[in-house]
Amino acid sequence: MKTTHAIISRNIMKYMCWYKQPVHIRRDRVSTIHNVYDRPYAIKADTCHTAFSIVLWFEAETRTMYLYSNAELIMLPGYSHGLFIGCVSLEDIEDDLLDYEFVYDANYMFFGCESLRALNIRNMINVKETDYMFTNCKGMREVVFTDCDFSQVDTAVGMFRECISLRRVAVEQPQLALLLHHDDLFLNCNSLKDAFSITGNHNSWSVQKGESGNEGK
């Protein structure tokens, strides 16, 4: 059965990133969205050529904004440069909801997402640039890359720079080796203990406090 997609746009991201109360990105478990404006406080919506939609929904009681989709995956654009930049209130993204397959420019993608605690990135197989992708994600504790391919990455300068709470980066060992030579990869990631293979090989790479992350073991 074909996977259903909704396509996110920068237009809807602007509304989400301006919001200063908690923000969550989730699958819609309430009902299938036919007319998104039937839902209370649906303040902005993107509708695809199919029935699958993305809607920003404001929950008045908790003063929380949700980005919902009734599709199985939300497709990210190839040019995702700065897509979530400055979304300081973004707290979580449901696992396996975002489709990274077509992303080639991930520079500054999550820059400054200070409230984001953990992220699971799956199937990022066409990426070429990841400069400052997670820089200043000061609350980020863990990033897991699954089924990703970094063989085309030309530049990953400062990818995790100033992620001061980061404790773990999980990535398959062959892909990890493709990133380690880039400048300032883990600069000032003072909480990071290791980046290791999620295949169970226990290959680890330690980062000394304040170092760029260019020296491995």
Side-chain angles (χ1 to χ4, degrees), residues 87-102:
C87 290
V88 296
S89 299
L90 178 60
E91 295 188 352
D92 64 83
I93 299 173
E94 187 169 332
D95 285 351
D96 301 329
L97 175 57
L98 300 186
D99 185 352
Y100 297 85
E101 180 179 357
F102 300 105

Side-chain angles (χ1 to χ4, degrees), residues 125-181:
I125 58 175
N126 292 298
V127 66
K128 297 179 180 179
E129 300 176 47
T130 62
D131 286 350
Y132 308 106
M133 183 176 178
F134 302 102
T135 295
N136 286 334
C137 289
K138 296 180 179 179
M140 185 78 76
R141 297 174 63 88
E142 178 180 81
V143 180
V144 177
F145 294 95
T146 308
D147 298 328
C148 294
D149 183 355
F150 298 131
S151 63
Q152 300 180 71
V153 173
D154 295 322
T155 177
V157 175
M159 187 173 176
F160 296 95
R161 184 172 181 167
E162 305 294 340
C163 289
I164 58 176
S165 301
L166 189 65
R167 294 182 177 274
R168 177 173 178 254
V169 177
V171 57
E172 288 130 334
Q173 184 66 17
Q175 302 305 321
L176 175 63
L178 296 172
L179 295 176
L180 295 186
H181 67 281

